[in-house]
PDB file of all heavy atoms in Angstrom:
ATOM      1  N   ARG A 367     157.791 250.385 199.755  1.00 27.00           N
ATOM      2  CA  ARG A 367     158.288 251.630 199.157  1.00 27.00           C
ATOM      3  C   ARG A 367     157.044 252.294 198.506  1.00 27.00           C
ATOM      4  O   ARG A 367     156.136 251.670 198.045  1.00 27.00           O
ATOM      5  CB  ARG A 367     159.314 251.317 198.104  1.00 27.00           C
ATOM      6  CG  ARG A 367     160.504 250.543 198.651  1.00 27.00           C
ATOM      7  CD  ARG A 367     161.660 250.582 197.726  1.00 27.00           C
ATOM      8  NE  ARG A 367     162.233 251.921 197.678  1.00 27.00           N
ATOM      9  CZ  ARG A 367     162.989 252.441 198.640  1.00 27.00           C
ATOM     10  NH1 ARG A 367     163.264 251.725 199.710  1.00 27.00           N
ATOM     11  NH2 ARG A 367     163.491 253.640 198.512  1.00 27.00           N
ATOM     12  N   PRO A 368     157.123 253.599 198.495  1.00 27.00           N
ATOM     13  CA  PRO A 368     155.893 254.293 198.000  1.00 27.00           C
ATOM     14  C   PRO A 368     155.790 254.290 196.460  1.00 27.00           C
ATOM     15  O   PRO A 368     155.923 255.311 195.834  1.00 27.00           O
ATOM     16  CB  PRO A 368     156.120 255.702 198.546  1.00 27.00           C
ATOM     17  CG  PRO A 368     157.576 255.865 198.670  1.00 27.00           C
ATOM     18  CD  PRO A 368     158.154 254.513 198.943  1.00 27.00           C
ATOM     19  N   ASN A 369     155.601 253.116 195.934  1.00 32.00           N
ATOM     20  CA  ASN A 369     155.337 252.998 194.479  1.00 32.00           C
ATOM     21  C   ASN A 369     153.962 252.442 194.346  1.00 32.00           C
ATOM     22  O   ASN A 369     153.301 252.073 195.298  1.00 32.00           O
ATOM     23  CB  ASN A 369     156.320 252.032 193.876  1.00 32.00           C
ATOM     24  CG  ASN A 369     157.694 252.221 194.422  1.00 32.00           C
ATOM     25  OD1 ASN A 369     158.131 253.361 194.419  1.00 32.00           O
ATOM     26  ND2 ASN A 369     158.336 251.197 194.865  1.00 32.00           N
ATOM     27  N   MET A 370     153.548 252.306 193.112  1.00 35.00           N
ATOM     28  CA  MET A 370     152.320 251.579 192.918  1.00 35.00           C
ATOM     29  C   MET A 370     152.587 250.126 192.979  1.00 35.00           C
ATOM     30  O   MET A 370     153.627 249.610 192.599  1.00 35.00           O
ATOM     31  CB  MET A 370     151.789 251.871 191.506  1.00 35.00           C
ATOM     32  CG  MET A 370     151.160 253.237 191.463  1.00 35.00           C
ATOM     33  SD  MET A 370     151.117 253.769 189.786  1.00 35.00           S
ATOM     34  CE  MET A 370     152.736 254.480 189.677  1.00 35.00           C
ATOM     35  N   ALA A 371     151.620 249.382 193.522  1.00 39.00           N
ATOM     36  CA  ALA A 371     151.703 247.927 193.476  1.00 39.00           C
ATOM     37  C   ALA A 371     151.708 247.547 191.986  1.00 39.00           C
ATOM     38  O   ALA A 371     150.942 248.022 191.211  1.00 39.00           O
ATOM     39  CB  ALA A 371     150.487 247.279 194.118  1.00 39.00           C
ATOM     40  N   THR A 372     152.645 246.694 191.593  1.00 50.00           N
ATOM     41  CA  THR A 372     152.644 246.234 190.214  1.00 50.00           C
ATOM     42  C   THR A 372     152.397 244.740 190.257  1.00 50.00           C
ATOM     43  O   THR A 372     153.065 243.992 190.943  1.00 50.00           O
ATOM     44  CB  THR A 372     153.954 246.576 189.508  1.00 50.00           C
ATOM     45  OG1 THR A 372     155.038 246.186 190.345  1.00 50.00           O
ATOM     46  CG2 THR A 372     154.018 248.060 189.229  1.00 50.00           C
ATOM     47  N   MET A 373     151.481 244.328 189.478  1.00 64.00           N
ATOM     48  CA  MET A 373     151.078 242.932 189.447  1.00 64.00           C
ATOM     49  C   MET A 373     151.688 242.359 188.137  1.00 64.00           C
ATOM     50  O   MET A 373     151.525 242.910 187.072  1.00 64.00           O
ATOM     51  CB  MET A 373     149.559 242.857 189.368  1.00 64.00           C
ATOM     52  CG  MET A 373     148.991 241.421 189.549  1.00 64.00           C
ATOM     53  SD  MET A 373     149.218 240.314 188.188  1.00 64.00           S
ATOM     54  CE  MET A 373     148.036 240.994 187.023  1.00 64.00           C
ATOM     55  N   LEU A 374     152.398 241.276 188.267  1.00 73.00           N
ATOM     56  CA  LEU A 374     152.934 240.565 187.128  1.00 73.00           C
ATOM     57  C   LEU A 374     152.609 239.070 187.307  1.00 73.00           C
ATOM     58  O   LEU A 374     152.632 238.560 188.401  1.00 73.00           O
ATOM     59  CB  LEU A 374     154.448 240.721 187.008  1.00 73.00           C
ATOM     60  CG  LEU A 374     154.987 242.084 186.686  1.00 73.00           C
ATOM     61  CD1 LEU A 374     156.516 242.080 186.727  1.00 73.00           C
ATOM     62  CD2 LEU A 374     154.501 242.604 185.385  1.00 73.00           C
ATOM     63  N   SER A 375     152.316 238.439 186.208  1.00 77.00           N
ATOM     64  CA  SER A 375     152.140 236.985 186.265  1.00 77.00           C
ATOM     65  C   SER A 375     152.625 236.353 184.990  1.00 77.00           C
ATOM     66  O   SER A 375     152.376 236.867 183.910  1.00 77.00           O
ATOM     67  CB  SER A 375     150.685 236.629 186.555  1.00 77.00           C
ATOM     68  OG  SER A 375     150.536 235.234 186.629  1.00 77.00           O
ATOM     69  N   PHE A 376     153.287 235.209 185.135  1.00 82.00           N
ATOM     70  CA  PHE A 376     153.830 234.501 183.954  1.00 82.00           C
ATOM     71  C   PHE A 376     153.446 233.019 184.120  1.00 82.00           C
ATOM     72  O   PHE A 376     153.751 232.404 185.138  1.00 82.00           O
ATOM     73  CB  PHE A 376     155.350 234.610 183.870  1.00 82.00           C
ATOM     74  CG  PHE A 376     155.798 236.047 183.839  1.00 82.00           C
ATOM     75  CD1 PHE A 376     156.172 236.731 184.976  1.00 82.00           C
ATOM     76  CD2 PHE A 376     155.815 236.702 182.614  1.00 82.00           C
ATOM     77  CE1 PHE A 376     156.549 238.066 184.952  1.00 82.00           C
ATOM     78  CE2 PHE A 376     156.158 238.067 182.574  1.00 82.00           C
ATOM     79  CZ  PHE A 376     156.545 238.749 183.704  1.00 82.00           C
ATOM     80  N   VAL A 377     152.710 232.489 183.177  1.00 86.00           N
ATOM     81  CA  VAL A 377     152.206 231.137 183.222  1.00 86.00           C
ATOM     82  C   VAL A 377     152.615 230.436 181.929  1.00 86.00           C
ATOM     83  O   VAL A 377     152.566 231.070 180.846  1.00 86.00           O
ATOM     84  CB  VAL A 377     150.706 231.086 183.388  1.00 86.00           C
ATOM     85  CG1 VAL A 377     150.173 229.649 183.405  1.00 86.00           C
ATOM     86  CG2 VAL A 377     150.267 231.828 184.664  1.00 86.00           C
ATOM     87  N   ALA A 378     153.061 229.226 182.010  1.00 86.00           N
ATOM     88  CA  ALA A 378     153.414 228.491 180.802  1.00 86.00           C
ATOM     89  C   ALA A 378     152.892 227.054 180.838  1.00 86.00           C
ATOM     90  O   ALA A 378     152.630 226.459 181.907  1.00 86.00           O
ATOM     91  CB  ALA A 378     154.954 228.422 180.670  1.00 86.00           C
ATOM     92  N   THR A 379     152.633 226.541 179.642  1.00 91.00           N
ATOM     93  CA  THR A 379     152.254 225.121 179.525  1.00 91.00           C
ATOM     94  C   THR A 379     153.042 224.552 178.356  1.00 91.00           C
ATOM     95  O   THR A 379     153.443 225.238 177.452  1.00 91.00           O
ATOM     96  CB  THR A 379     150.766 224.978 179.276  1.00 91.00           C
ATOM     97  OG1 THR A 379     150.459 223.590 179.114  1.00 91.00           O
ATOM     98  CG2 THR A 379     150.331 225.704 177.970  1.00 91.00           C
TER      99      THR A 379
END
Side-chain angles (χ1 to χ4, degrees):
Chain A
R367 303 195 69 76
N369 317 311
M370 285 160 274
T372 49
M373 190 289 285
L374 293 176
S375 182
F376 303 95
V377 178
T379 180

